[in-house]
Amino acid sequence: MSCFLTNSSLGKKVVMSVSGAFLVLFILFHMSMNITAIISPEGYNMICEFLGANWYALAGTLVLALGVLVHIIYALILTINNYKARGNQRYAVTAKEPGVSWASKNMLVLGFIVVVGMGLHLYNFWAKMQLVELLGQHTNALGLSPKDGASLIQATFSCWGYVVVYLLWFVALWFHLTHGVWSMFQSMGWANNTWYPRLKCLANIVATVIFLGFAVVVLCYALGFVTVAA
């Protein structure tokens, strides 16, 4: 079984699909949690306090990091293999549609942008929340409690530079998901003529929901529609 997952092209695509599905589910969960910051900043802070540096949150962080690492490694392996086998055609597909051609040909670039954005996000939030708690500190570099996630969101997106960068990151994530979600099912052999339009529609819906869910939080705080009491 391990040889199949590491040596065969199909096995590598299965790993990519499973790790990708796991990451999409996490993104949906993270997006849902962030929306709470619009509805109730106090409720969002309660979630932040509940997660914090507890053992289950740390275990979840490690599993997530492993999932990201596996997805990146296998993406690079498949890309190299595809370059060797088919030149610039990076992902073999059984059904083609003009609307996804750009995203499908630039998945590695889009993935790189997503990873860089994730690094910035970890710097802006994880390093000022969970890491601060792990270090036994009571305030972060902004003088905020690591449990006060709502104030951290407000402080971060009071800078319009961050607003623009995050929105561009979300756009790259949207493109990555519109192809990635569909390709995940295609790799498992589901993208026939009947299911292709359905899966493509599902991919667009998932990507758009995620984009709007994250973007609305950024814009609501940046435009002052949501404010946190000092």
Side-chain angles (χ1 to χ4, degrees), residues 66-148:
L66 178 61
V68 171
L69 184 61
V70 168
H71 197 70
I72 292 174
I73 290 174
Y74 274 79
L76 291 173
I77 292 173
L78 284 171
T79 299
I80 293 172
N81 290 344
N82 285 330
Y83 268 132
K84 290 180 178 179
R86 293 181 297 276
N88 290 330
Q89 184 180 348
R90 301 175 187 178
Y91 293 91
V93 296
T94 56
K96 295 185 178 181
E97 195 263 338
V100 299
S101 59
W102 186 87
S104 65
K105 292 178 181 179
N106 292 277
M107 285 295 282
L108 189 64
V109 174
L110 290 168
F112 176 77
I113 296 173
V114 170
V115 170
V116 171
M118 184 172 61
L120 176 65
H121 188 61
L122 290 173
Y123 167 77
N124 281 330
F125 290 92
W126 180 79
K128 295 180 176 67
M129 298 179 73
Q130 191 176 73
L131 180 59
V132 171
E133 289 195 58
L134 288 174
L135 295 175
Q137 300 173 0
H138 299 292
T139 58
N140 55 37
L142 299 179
L144 300 171
S145 166
K147 300 175 183 179
D148 191 357

Side-chain angles (χ1 to χ4, degrees), residues 168-179:
L168 290 175
W169 178 35
F170 299 153
V171 170
L173 181 61
W174 183 88
F175 276 110
H176 194 75
L177 291 175
T178 54
H179 179 73

Side-chain angles (χ1 to χ4, degrees), residues 1-228:
M1 183 64 178
S2 61
C3 292
F4 167 74
L5 295 178
T6 57
N7 296 334
S8 73
S9 177
L10 179 59
K12 293 170 186 174
K13 290 180 180 179
V14 169
V15 174
M16 276 288 291
S17 299
V18 173
S19 61
F22 165 72
L23 294 176
V24 169
L25 290 175
F26 170 78
I27 291 171
L28 285 169
F29 163 76
H30 191 33
M31 178 208 71
S32 302
M33 185 180 75
N34 283 7
I35 290 177
T36 307
I38 299 176
I39 301 171
S40 171
E42 295 79 12
Y44 178 73
N45 285 344
M46 289 178 64
I47 296 175
C48 293
E49 183 176 3
F50 173 73
L51 294 177
N54 297 302
W55 70 267
Y56 42 82
L58 292 175
T61 300
L62 292 175
V63 171
L64 177 62
L66 178 61
V68 171
L69 184 61
V70 168
H71 197 70
I72 292 174
I73 290 174
Y74 274 79
L76 291 173
I77 292 173
L78 284 171
T79 299
I80 293 172
N81 290 344
N82 285 330
Y83 268 132
K84 290 180 178 179
R86 293 181 297 276
N88 290 330
Q89 184 180 348
R90 301 175 187 178
Y91 293 91
V93 296
T94 56
K96 295 185 178 181
E97 195 263 338
V100 299
S101 59
W102 186 87
S104 65
K105 292 178 181 179
N106 292 277
M107 285 295 282
L108 189 64
V109 174
L110 290 168
F112 176 77
I113 296 173
V114 170
V115 170
V116 171
M118 184 172 61
L120 176 65
H121 188 61
L122 290 173
Y123 167 77
N124 281 330
F125 290 92
W126 180 79
K128 295 180 176 67
M129 298 179 73
Q130 191 176 73
L131 180 59
V132 171
E133 289 195 58
L134 288 174
L135 295 175
Q137 300 173 0
H138 299 292
T139 58
N140 55 37
L142 299 179
L144 300 171
S145 166
K147 300 175 183 179
D148 191 357
S151 292
L152 183 55
I153 294 175
Q154 181 172 268
T156 301
F157 297 118
S158 64
C159 172
W160 276 93
Y162 276 136
V163 174
V164 173
V165 169
Y166 268 76
L167 291 179
L168 290 175
W169 178 35
F170 299 153
V171 170
L173 181 61
W174 183 88
F175 276 110
H176 194 75
L177 291 175
T178 54
H179 179 73
V181 172
W182 167 76
S183 181
M184 175 177 67
F185 290 106
Q186 184 273 333
S187 296
M188 304 303 291
W190 291 3
N192 53 38
N193 292 333
T194 299
W195 277 97
Y196 172 78
R198 300 173 184 176
L199 295 175
K200 177 56 187 165
C201 180
L202 175 63
N204 286 339
I205 291 173
V206 170
T208 302
V209 167
I210 288 173
F211 172 82
L212 293 176
F214 281 120
V216 72
V217 176
V218 172
L219 291 174
C220 280
Y221 273 83
L223 297 172
F225 294 146
V226 179
T227 57
V228 181

